[in-house]
């Protein structure tokens, strides 16, 4: 548990902050489903700025899960990112805060600050590199002093990618030197979409990309050593033989998160770093045409405040219905799934990675249910249960970590396998 100056045990194992938001409601349901898995009975609460909305969220979860007791047995905590005292009071009562309030660039830091200052571990589901890396820069040493673990991107961004690379490395007999991942998503007959909170993060993230570059300079990192052959650079749009469709570089946080994990494992544990390239399948020619048009509009508009306002106001129009203010229906979620295929190469045992080209390949797969609101809550809740149940397997000291850095020595992958996010060697 986090070191608390008062020495008193917190009242709750988990507090879900933002439990009445679109994603938060699904995280709430997943905690209710998994409450029996912790070593002792899981004490948890739902937190947010509106008691009425939290009561509604609990009522809906009770109906969806057939657990009427949720309406009366789960405590409600009123806390607001604009009220530091309410956040401090919330964090004092929690072992772990599951923060579902985004975009994190606007609302994430007060929660991290309150958690670190009041001794609660903090996990989020951010896919925003600027937020994730600035939290590492600003809070890592303070979190280490307090024995607090702050683990970002514990949702679809970026547990499948980050843990997938580690899984591929662990299954490879020898020295794995490079991995490329290809993400594909399937929709059922009802189609699918993503809630516009993710769209907002993308709009502001791209608008601020210069700030991310200057932020990274502050770390003064030395370049990671390249082991084996340098990974090949791919075009901005290419036909992938691996997944038999057109693909583009993955625009989310995965590449930056995986690189931070590899840096940690290289610098802290002297492990050989793995180079990483991340790509997403976009389908056939008609999908490519839509993507090119939407991408061009997006890049033109995102540069101006007026353009950003348009993008935020009309996500469905500018994304061909892929993002919406309502988010997907439960029917759409039931019909959707994702596949991450990992193609790795390296050197077999006894081969010198500094000599010649890689002489062995490996292919692994991480697959699971709908990514945004089924797989993300599963990943987040299993990450929280892992912190709760396996404190001795976490890094030696607290700090701000990626999932791979925090969970490399834990049984998180086994836990995910049991909950529908499957890791396998092909």
């Amino acid at each position: 548990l986090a070191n608390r100056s008062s020495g008193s045990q917190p009242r709750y194992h988990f507090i879900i902050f933002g439990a009445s938001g679109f994603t938060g409601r699904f995280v709430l349901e997943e905690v209710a489903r998994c409450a029996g898995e912790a070593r002792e009975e899981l004490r948890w609460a739902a937190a947010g700025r509106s008691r009425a909305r939290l009561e509604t969220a609990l009522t809906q979860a009770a109906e969806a899960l057939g657990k009427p007791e949720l309406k009366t047995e789960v405590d409600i905590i009123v806390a607001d990112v604009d009220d530091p005292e309410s956040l401090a009071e919330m964090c004092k009562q929690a072992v772990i805060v599951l923060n579902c309030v985004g975009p994190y660039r606007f609302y994430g830091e007060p929660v991290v600050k309150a958690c670190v200052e009041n001794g609660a571990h903090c996990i989020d589901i951010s896919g925003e590199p600027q937020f994730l890396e600035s939290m590492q820069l600003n809070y890592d040493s303070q979190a280490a002093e307090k024995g607090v673990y702050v683990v970002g991107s514990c949702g679809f961004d970026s547990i499948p990618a980050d843990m997938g690379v580690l899984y591929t490395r662990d299954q490879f007999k020898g020295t794995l030197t490079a991995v490329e991942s290809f993400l594909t998503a399937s929709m059922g007959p009802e189609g699918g979409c993503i809630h516009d909170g993710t769209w907002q993060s993308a709009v502001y993230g791209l608008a601020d990309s210069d700030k991310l570059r200057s932020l990274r300079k502050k770390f003064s990192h030395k370049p990671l050593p390249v082991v084996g052959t340098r990974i090949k650079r791919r075009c901005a749009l290419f036909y992938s033989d691996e997944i038999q469709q057109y693909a583009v570089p993955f625009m989310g946080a995965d590449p930056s998160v995986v690189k931070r994990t590899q840096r940690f494992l290289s610098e802290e544990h002297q492990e050989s770093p793995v180079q990483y390239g991340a790509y997403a399948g976009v389908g056939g020619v008609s999908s490519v045409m839509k993507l090119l048009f939407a991408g061009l509009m997006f890049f033109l508009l995102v540069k101006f405040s007026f353009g950003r306002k348009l993008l935020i106001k009309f996500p469905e129009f500018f994304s061909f219905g892929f993002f919406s203010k309502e988010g997907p229906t439960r029917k759409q979620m039931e019909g959707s799934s994702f596949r991450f295929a990992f193609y790795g190469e390296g050197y077999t045992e006894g081969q010198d990675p500094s000599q010649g080209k890689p002489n062995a390949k490996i292919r692994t797969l991480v697959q699971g249910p709908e990514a945004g609101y089924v797989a993300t809550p599963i990943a987040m809740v299993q990450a929280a249960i892992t912190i709760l149940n396996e404190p001795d397997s976490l890094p030696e000291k607290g700090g701000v970590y990626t999932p791979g850095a925090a969970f490399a020595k834990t049984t998180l992958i086994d836990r995910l396998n049991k909950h529908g996010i499957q890791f396998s060697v092909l």
Side-chain angles (χ1 to χ4, degrees), residues 188-191 328-336:
E190 301 275 331
T329 63
R330 286 189 188 257
K331 265 255 177 344
Q332 286 177 323
M333 290 181 210
E334 283 164 18
S336 301

Side-chain angles (χ1 to χ4, degrees), residues 106 128 151 184 203 229 249 251 259 266 269 288 311 328 345 409 413 419:
F106 299 130
E128 304 163 46
V151 191
T184 49
V203 169
T229 308
M251 297 294 285
K259 190 168 185 182
S266 171
H269 298 292
V288 168
L311 289 168
E345 63 177 28
K409 309 281 191 278
I413 288 174
H419 287 84

Side-chain angles (χ1 to χ4, degrees), residues 5 43 88 94 102 150 223 227 325 340 372:
S5 49
R43 301 185 308 278
V150 178
V227 182
K325 290 186 182 294
F340 252 114

Side-chain angles (χ1 to χ4, degrees), residues 144-160:
E145 271 171 41
K146 293 267 193 166
V148 165
Y149 294 90
V150 178
V151 191
S153 55
C154 284
F156 185 73
D157 282 2
S158 291
I159 276 183

Side-chain angles (χ1 to χ4, degrees), residues 14-318:
F14 296 171
I15 293 177
I16 306 159
F17 183 53
S20 61
F22 190 83
T23 309
R25 282 177 288 165
F26 294 105
V27 173
L28 186 151
E29 285 182 23
E30 189 62 22
V31 169
R33 254 185 230 109
C34 298
E37 289 177 29
R39 283 183 187 155
E40 53 188 293
E41 187 188 351
L42 194 72
R43 301 185 308 278
W44 60 284
R49 61 186 176 181
S50 162
R51 178 174 291 275
R53 286 188 63 191
L54 290 165
E55 284 171 355
T56 301
L58 283 167
T59 301
Q60 288 171 343
E63 287 167 9
L65 299 173
K67 292 188 171 194
E69 68 275 11
L70 292 179
K71 289 188 278 189
T72 51
E73 289 181 8
V74 178
D75 291 344
I76 285 174
I77 296 168
V78 176
D80 190 332
V81 288
D82 293 327
D83 179 357
E85 279 183 29
S86 71
L87 290 182
E89 202 49 48
M90 172 181 78
C91 294
K92 283 172 187 166
Q93 299 180 70
V95 178
I96 307 169
V97 172
L98 285 69
N99 183 16
C100 303
V101 179
Y104 291 90
R105 65 173 51 248
F106 299 130
Y107 308 118
E109 183 166 2
V111 182
V112 171
K113 185 173 189 286
C115 283
V116 171
E117 289 175 355
N118 295 283
H121 306 309
C122 179
I123 64 175
D124 67 49
I125 45 177
S126 171
E128 304 163 46
Q130 190 182 336
F131 166 75
L132 296 163
E133 294 178 38
S134 63
M135 291 307 96
Q136 185 182 351
L137 188 70
N138 297 338
Y139 293 96
D140 185 58
S141 55
Q142 200 182 341
E145 271 171 41
K146 293 267 193 166
V148 165
Y149 294 90
V150 178
V151 191
S153 55
C154 284
F156 185 73
D157 282 2
S158 291
I159 276 183
D162 205 15
M163 300 309 291
V165 171
L166 295 189
Y167 175 82
T168 307
R169 182 202 66 182
D170 292 345
Q171 301 303 312
F172 188 78
K173 294 176 172 54
T175 305
L176 185 71
T177 57
V179 171
E180 289 184 316
S181 70
F182 293 86
L183 168 64
T184 49
S186 299
M187 310 287 177
E190 301 275 331
C193 67
I194 298 174
H195 188 258
D196 80 320
T198 303
W199 174 259
Q200 288 180 41
S201 298
V203 169
Y204 294 118
L206 202 64
D208 266 0
S209 52
D210 290 347
K211 289 182 184 166
L212 180 58
R213 281 192 284 275
S214 61
L215 169 72
R216 284 174 173 163
K217 285 180 186 163
K218 294 178 184 170
F219 283 98
S220 307
H221 285 318
K222 295 190 184 100
L224 270 178
V226 174
V227 182
T229 308
R230 193 173 284 278
I231 199 167
K232 63 184 171 188
R233 297 283 302 254
R234 304 250 194 178
C235 300
L237 174 68
F238 61 96
Y239 187 80
S240 162
D241 293 325
E242 291 87 355
I243 53 173
Q244 299 288 299
Q245 59 178 276
Y246 286 95
V248 295
F250 182 73
M251 297 294 285
D254 294 352
S256 72
V257 170
V258 170
K259 190 168 185 182
R260 286 169 58 214
T261 294
Q262 294 304 317
R263 179 175 294 284
F264 172 81
L265 295 173
S266 171
E267 292 176 354
E268 297 293 321
H269 298 292
Q270 289 66 56
E271 292 178 11
S272 178
V274 178
Q275 302 171 71
Y276 179 59
Y279 304 97
V282 294
V285 174
S286 64
S287 300
V288 168
M289 300 308 289
K290 275 187 187 176
L291 179 78
L292 288 174
F293 182 74
L296 189 65
M297 292 291 289
F298 191 90
F299 280 102
L300 285 172
L301 290 171
V302 84
K303 292 178 178 176
F304 309 101
S305 64
F306 172 70
R308 290 194 287 278
K309 281 176 188 160
L310 280 177
L311 289 168
I312 297 294
K313 195 170 182 184
F314 304 108
E316 281 183 80
F317 176 78
F318 288 109

